[in-house]
Amino acid sequence: VYALGLILYEITTGNRFGRTGGDSVKHAARLEKAVLDLAEYESGAPGLTELFLKMVAFEPEDRPKARDVERALREI
């Protein structure tokens, strides 16, 4: 789900997310930039940023199941 979230971000914005190396501080900084990048697409796809943030949560147990991602993407 995490990797799919990164792909979703990259194909939507055309930007690379970059590596965080398991560093929560670096991950949070990249997420801040990603949210700004996704903001311009949010009007055409409400809920996209929220879904992305859930998919790339730092802790794996905080990420949604693949079937829940599928449902959310269909709604978006």
Side-chain angles (χ1 to χ4, degrees):
V1 168
Y2 184 88
L4 182 59
L6 296 184
I7 292 169
L8 177 66
Y9 167 78
E10 291 180 358
I11 63 172
T12 302
T13 66
N15 299 326
R16 292 193 44 104
F17 185 76
R19 295 179 183 232
T20 61
D23 180 339
S24 63
V25 173
K26 194 182 251 188
H27 184 261
R30 294 219 190 265
L31 286 180
E32 283 184 42
K33 181 187 179 312
V35 167
L36 294 174
D37 292 343
L38 286 169
E40 69 180 272
Y41 300 95
E42 189 71 23
S43 64
L48 182 67
T49 301
E50 181 182 350
L51 177 61
F52 165 74
L53 289 172
K54 289 177 184 177
M55 293 172 72
V56 297
F58 188 75
E59 296 297 335
E61 61 270 8
D62 294 335
R63 299 176 196 148
K65 302 284 186 217
R67 68 180 162 272
D68 297 327
V69 171
E70 178 186 10
R71 282 186 207 119
L73 286 172
R74 287 181 188 273
E75 289 177 14
I76 291 172

